[in-house]
Amino acid sequence: MINQQYKDMLNARSPIRSFSEYATKRAQEIGYENVFDYSLGNPSQPVPNAYTEHTIDVLNNIPSNELHGYSPTLGLPSYKEKIAQSLNKRFGINYKAEHIFPTAGAASAIAHAMRAVSKPGDEIITFAPYFLEYQLYTAPTGAKLVVVDADTSSFQINFDQFEQLINEKTSAVLINTPNNPSGAVYSEETIKKLAHILELKQKEYNHEIFIISDEPYREIVFDNKTVPYVAKYYDNTLTCYSYSKSLSLPGERIGYVAVNPNAKDSEYLVPMMGQISRGLGHNNPSALIMRGVEDVCDITCDMSVYETNMNLIYDKLIELGFEVIRPGGTFYIFPKALEEDANAFCQKALKYDLIFVPSDAFGVKGYFRMAYCIDTDKVKRSLKALERFVKEEY
Amino acid sequence: MINQQYKDMLNARSPIRSFSEYATKRAQEIGYENVFDYSLGNPSQPVPNAYTEHTIDVLNNIPSNELHGYSPTLGLPSYKEKIAQSLNKRFGINYKAEHIFPTAGAASAIAHAMRAVSKPGDEIITFAPYFLEYQLYTAPTGAKLVVVDADTSSFQINFDQFEQLINEKTSAVLINTPNNPSGAVYSEETIKKLAHILELKQKEYNHEIFIISDEPYREIVFDNKTVPYVAKYYDNTLTCYSYSKSLSLPGERIGYVAVNPNAKDSEYLVPMMGQISRGLGHNNPSALIMRGVEDVCDITCDMSVYETNMNLIYDKLIELGFEVIRPGGTFYIFPKALEEDANAFCQKALKYDLIFVPSDAFGVKGYFRMAYCIDTDKVKRSLKALERFVKEEY
């Protein structure tokens, strides 16, 4: 008999997908260029040529059985080594190859990290606004995802509520900075404060509490800033990364977990993820994709377009009177809707072919997300539609 | 705190891996060519040139964002379509693209299939000898793997014990034909009998019992035979496939689940696997690998070497007085050891640099597995060592 639990999930439609599907349908009626589709976080920038060239080179020059053979259980050594070196150089950590566990993107990284440091009955805390898939990632681990309400004044962390919710059962804290959907980058002050609280709580409860740091947007940061590297501030950190955004490779499912060498039991965590992998049916990302990425893991696509788009949108939102926090990174912005019901707001926007996603999908009411990974010309045209929308409807 | 259950797994060494690691170490001492390493099922045949050429073509000609972008939740339509067509042409089924769920190899296929048709507390029956990873695949689903003892007279199915073990809690039967480790191909008679029993039991228990058919060796079959296609004999069949063996792509993690269109609830099963995927952190195999495989899904490597090797080994084993069933396919053979303790037998073989795997790893006592995916010259030399081993030790 089929599993009713998974069958029931088919009825719960993703609001992001619903709006995105509407956009696709609308594009067939009025042309793709006329639909201002801000629904999906699909990177728009081309993959660096170096990636393509290197992959072709590898296909031509490595004997096929060596290239496409099984990777070792804990991943391709060259990929692990190059990532460790790259992170060490950039962030001053002391990773070795054995601290890197290759995964099929950040989703797979989080799946492994969660299971490594929590067990059924534990609680994993995250902070709204948050990527709604986190609920689905957590459920099959048997742990419970506990959500701290948003600090809507800055989209940093609501520490008061966090300190109320953390308890003996808390095994991990799942953070996402730069943040989807708010675009906020956690400040050094925020991360230090979080680390400080966790250090105290670890002592109080006499067990480790890990930070699982979901960082696929780490390289998309504005105003020439850099994102504070979480693992530098807290030893028990598992850094989950994906090349989906920085190399525009979301379909290749490629990323890693980096285990802080200073973490408790750091020597066991990657081998444990190798075991976890067997139960998930994961067993390494594609060998060809690891080979392709390892030589370009220090570069990114040209991501300046995201900053250009952000500035255009932010300025117009302010001009039109929206309440909005200026994003520090990502390709998202998260303004307050002009009425309480964000869904009603987004439905009205459809009349102007503006496709937004209501914030209920991210654990906050009354906001909406715009994913501005689209071309700048379309952003400019969309802002005229936005102006008409606001003036005619509000 | 780290998850003790996964940490404890680190102490349970895989016997296959232990023998394989010994072989690698020994090769450093006496040279790779002098170690007769029959431990690992790593395909030895080169990947077809057509695969490499097609992949390079795709890298050169599809715009990078289209090529490497997110695949739809239920997989790349072109890959699904071409597999459906290929299976229909070969086996006379009526798959549509929507019955194909792309996965990261057979392990991932089984992970999705098991969760789709069983729930915690259910029982999944499999038949010894069996691939020991099945225990690890099943454990995190919450279902229980129930193992039917081997029919050592033929390595077909021990139906008497099967009928004793099947019960109301049985949600699925996991089979693997051609079989790792025995090399047996289930006959049409075996599959028909299995299907008949399951039809009766479905009626008796008033619920479906699915066959999960693990078929990565389907194309490695000897004596110009073909493997009976299980889904043709039983409607509620989920066919799990990997291109690891037929295209020598084990490191690329590429395969699928094919849902029989006649299965109960067949329209829900692939969408349910899309939901299951979110919890597993899977979300599609690599898009580039799907594109590479879709155009060559009808061809295989030259696999005649496996049959050549099998014949050489089988004839010598018979000559030396081993009890052994002649394999119908795969690149495995599973003779009876010359003493009761298969592990002791395999340890003694090491003196002759013959690396075998004792059958305890496959749920049977007293046998050993030879994986003959190595070159034929080495097979010939190894048989002299085998002869010496038998004459000197037994």
Side-chain angles (χ1 to χ4, degrees), chain A residues 105-277:
Chain A
S108 169
I110 296 170
H112 285 85
M114 280 186 170
R115 286 165 176 82
V117 299
S118 64
K119 58 181 191 310
D122 286 350
E123 295 184 0
I124 299 174
I125 295 181
T126 197
F127 303 98
Y130 71 107
F131 183 43
L132 217 66
E133 291 283 306
Y134 286 174
Q135 292 285 3
L136 297 162
Y137 294 173
T138 313
T141 71
K144 184 184 164 194
L145 189 71
V146 174
V147 180
V148 174
D149 289 341
D151 167 6
T152 52
S153 72
S154 64
F155 293 125
Q156 299 284 317
I157 287 178
N158 177 343
F159 281 108
D160 289 344
Q161 201 187 34
F162 173 58
E163 292 196 84
Q164 286 161 26
L165 290 177
I166 193 168
N167 68 65
E168 283 215 319
K169 286 196 257 177
T170 307
S171 59
V173 174
L174 172 58
I175 65 176
N176 172 222
T177 168
N179 182 267
N180 172 15
S182 73
V185 175
Y186 285 176
S187 67
E188 197 175 27
E189 187 194 344
T190 296
I191 295 168
K192 281 183 172 166
K193 189 165 174 187
L194 175 64
H196 179 68
I197 295 170
L198 290 177
E199 297 287 6
L200 294 177
K201 292 292 177 183
Q202 288 192 130
K203 283 195 191 119
E204 183 181 337
Y205 305 141
N206 197 30
H207 65 71
E208 293 73 46
I209 303 172
F210 280 81
I211 291 182
I212 299 173
S213 184
D214 178 21
E215 307 185 358
Y217 301 98
R218 190 173 64 208
E219 277 73 34
I220 313 180
V221 58
F222 306 141
D223 303 318
N224 290 315
K225 292 197 177 152
T226 52
V227 174
Y229 188 68
V230 176
K232 283 206 70 161
Y233 300 87
Y234 187 67
D235 285 348
N236 289 328
T237 297
L238 305 179
T239 303
C240 297
Y241 190 73
S242 162
Y243 291 98
S244 293
K245 319 295 173 184
S246 61
L247 292 173
S248 288
L249 293 173
E252 302 309 341
R253 315 309 305 139
I254 183 74
Y256 57 81
V257 181
V259 173
N260 191 329
N262 298 324
K264 178 78 161 50
D265 294 317
S266 65
E267 70 275 31
Y268 298 121
L269 284 162
V270 165
M272 283 166 62
M273 291 180 208
Q275 297 299 326
I276 291 164
S277 188

Side-chain angles (χ1 to χ4, degrees), chain A residues 1-7 9-10 12 14 17 41-48 51-52 55-56 59-60 64-65 67-73 104 107-109 111-112 114-120 122 133 136-137 140 168-171 207-210 217 244-245 248-253 264-265 267-269 271-272 275-276 278-290, chain B residues 1-7 9-10 12 14 17 41-48 51-52 55-56 59-60 64-65 67-73 104 107-109 111-112 114-120 122 133 136-137 140 168-171 207-210 217 244-245 248-253 264-265 267-269 271-272 275-276 278-290:
Chain A
M1 53 234 143
I2 67 173
N3 186 319
Q4 194 63 34
Q5 179 207 339
Y6 291 115
K7 190 178 170 202
M9 286 172 76
L10 299 178
S14 150
R17 203 155 279 272
N42 217 341
S44 62
Q45 289 310 94
V47 175
Y51 171 79
T52 305
T55 302
I56 291 174
L59 280 162
N60 281 323
S64 70
N65 285 86
L67 175 58
H68 301 296
Y70 281 113
S71 300
T73 312
S108 169
H112 285 85
M114 280 186 170
R115 286 165 176 82
V117 299
S118 64
K119 58 181 191 310
D122 286 350
E133 291 283 306
L136 297 162
Y137 294 173
E168 283 215 319
K169 286 196 257 177
T170 307
S171 59
H207 65 71
E208 293 73 46
I209 303 172
F210 280 81
Y217 301 98
S244 293
K245 319 295 173 184
S248 288
L249 293 173
E252 302 309 341
R253 315 309 305 139
K264 178 78 161 50
D265 294 317
E267 70 275 31
Y268 298 121
L269 284 162
M272 283 166 62
Q275 297 299 326
I276 291 164
R278 298 160 87 180
L280 295 176
H282 170 259
N283 305 314
N284 274 290
S286 150
L288 176 63
I289 305 300
M290 284 195 270
Chain B
M1 53 236 142
I2 66 173
N3 185 319
Q4 194 62 34
Q5 179 207 339
Y6 291 114
K7 191 179 170 204
M9 286 171 76
L10 299 178
S14 151
R17 202 156 280 272
N42 218 341
S44 61
Q45 289 310 94
V47 175
Y51 171 79
T52 306
T55 302
I56 292 174
L59 280 160
N60 282 323
S64 69
N65 285 85
L67 175 58
H68 301 295
Y70 282 112
S71 300
T73 312
S108 170
H112 286 85
M114 280 185 169
R115 286 164 175 82
V117 299
S118 63
K119 58 181 191 311
D122 285 351
E133 291 284 305
L136 297 161
Y137 294 173
E168 283 215 319
K169 286 196 258 177
T170 306
S171 59
H207 65 70
E208 291 74 46
I209 303 172
F210 279 81
Y217 300 99
S244 292
K245 319 296 173 182
S248 286
L249 293 173
E252 301 309 342
R253 315 308 305 138
K264 178 78 161 52
D265 294 318
E267 70 276 31
Y268 298 121
L269 284 161
M272 283 166 62
Q275 298 298 326
I276 290 164
R278 299 159 87 179
L280 296 176
H282 170 260
N283 305 316
N284 273 292
S286 150
L288 177 61
I289 304 300
M290 284 195 271

Side-chain angles (χ1 to χ4, degrees), chain B residues 87-108:
Chain B
L87 291 173
N88 292 345
K89 196 171 55 186
R90 292 179 57 205
F91 302 117
I93 305 274
N94 198 19
Y95 292 117
K96 293 188 183 136
E98 62 253 39
H99 298 114
I100 309 297
F101 183 74
T103 62
S108 170

Side-chain angles (χ1 to χ4, degrees), chain B residues 12-72:
Chain B
R13 307 237 36 222
S14 151
I16 301 179
R17 202 156 280 272
S18 302
F19 279 91
S20 161
E21 282 167 9
Y22 172 85
T24 306
K25 199 167 134 272
R26 183 69 177 145
Q28 287 162 1
E29 295 163 18
I30 61 165
Y32 169 76
E33 67 285 4
N34 297 314
V35 180
F36 306 119
D37 182 5
Y38 286 105
S39 66
L40 277 193
N42 218 341
S44 61
Q45 289 310 94
V47 175
N49 287 335
Y51 171 79
T52 306
E53 285 159 14
H54 182 64
T55 302
I56 292 174
D57 198 47
V58 152
L59 280 160
N60 282 323
N61 293 307
I62 301 184
S64 69
N65 285 85
E66 188 185 332
L67 175 58
H68 301 295
Y70 282 112
S71 300

Side-chain angles (χ1 to χ4, degrees), chain B residues 108-320:
Chain B
S108 170
I110 295 171
H112 286 85
M114 280 185 169
R115 286 164 175 82
V117 299
S118 63
K119 58 181 191 311
D122 285 351
E123 295 184 1
I124 298 174
I125 295 182
T126 199
F127 303 98
Y130 71 106
F131 184 42
L132 217 68
E133 291 284 305
Y134 287 174
Q135 292 285 3
L136 297 161
Y137 294 173
T138 313
T141 71
K144 183 184 165 198
L145 189 71
V146 174
V147 181
V148 173
D149 288 341
D151 168 5
T152 52
S153 71
S154 64
F155 294 125
Q156 298 285 316
I157 288 179
N158 177 343
F159 280 108
D160 288 344
Q161 201 186 35
F162 173 59
E163 292 195 84
Q164 284 160 27
L165 290 175
I166 193 167
N167 67 64
E168 283 215 319
K169 286 196 258 177
T170 306
S171 59
V173 174
L174 172 58
I175 65 175
N176 172 220
T177 169
N179 182 265
N180 172 13
S182 73
V185 176
Y186 285 175
S187 66
E188 197 174 26
E189 188 194 342
T190 296
I191 296 168
K192 280 183 174 169
K193 189 165 173 187
L194 175 64
H196 179 68
I197 295 169
L198 290 176
E199 298 288 4
L200 294 177
K201 292 293 179 183
Q202 289 193 129
K203 282 194 191 121
E204 183 182 337
Y205 304 142
N206 198 27
H207 65 70
E208 291 74 46
I209 303 172
F210 279 81
I211 290 182
I212 300 174
S213 183
D214 179 20
E215 308 185 359
Y217 300 99
R218 191 172 62 208
E219 277 75 34
I220 314 182
V221 59
F222 306 142
D223 304 318
N224 291 314
K225 292 196 177 154
T226 52
V227 174
Y229 188 69
V230 176
K232 281 205 71 161
Y233 299 87
Y234 188 68
D235 285 348
N236 288 329
T237 297
L238 305 179
T239 302
C240 296
Y241 190 75
S242 161
Y243 291 97
S244 292
K245 319 296 173 182
S246 61
L247 293 173
S248 286
L249 293 173
E252 301 309 342
R253 315 308 305 138
I254 183 74
Y256 58 81
V257 182
V259 173
N260 191 329
N262 298 325
K264 178 78 161 52
D265 294 318
S266 64
E267 70 276 31
Y268 298 121
L269 284 161
V270 165
M272 283 166 62
M273 291 180 207
Q275 298 298 326
I276 290 164
S277 189
R278 299 159 87 179
L280 296 176
H282 170 260
N283 305 316
N284 273 292
S286 150
L288 177 61
I289 304 300
M290 284 195 271
R291 298 267 193 186
V293 164
E294 66 185 28
D295 264 30
V296 297
C297 67
D298 269 335
I299 66 169
T300 69
C301 317
D302 173 8
M303 297 191 293
S304 59
V305 62
Y306 302 134
E307 185 159 5
T308 304
N309 292 352
M310 185 278 290
N311 279 311
L312 287 167
I313 294 167
Y314 176 77
D315 289 347
K316 177 58 84 177
L317 287 166
I318 291 292
E319 181 195 318
L320 293 173

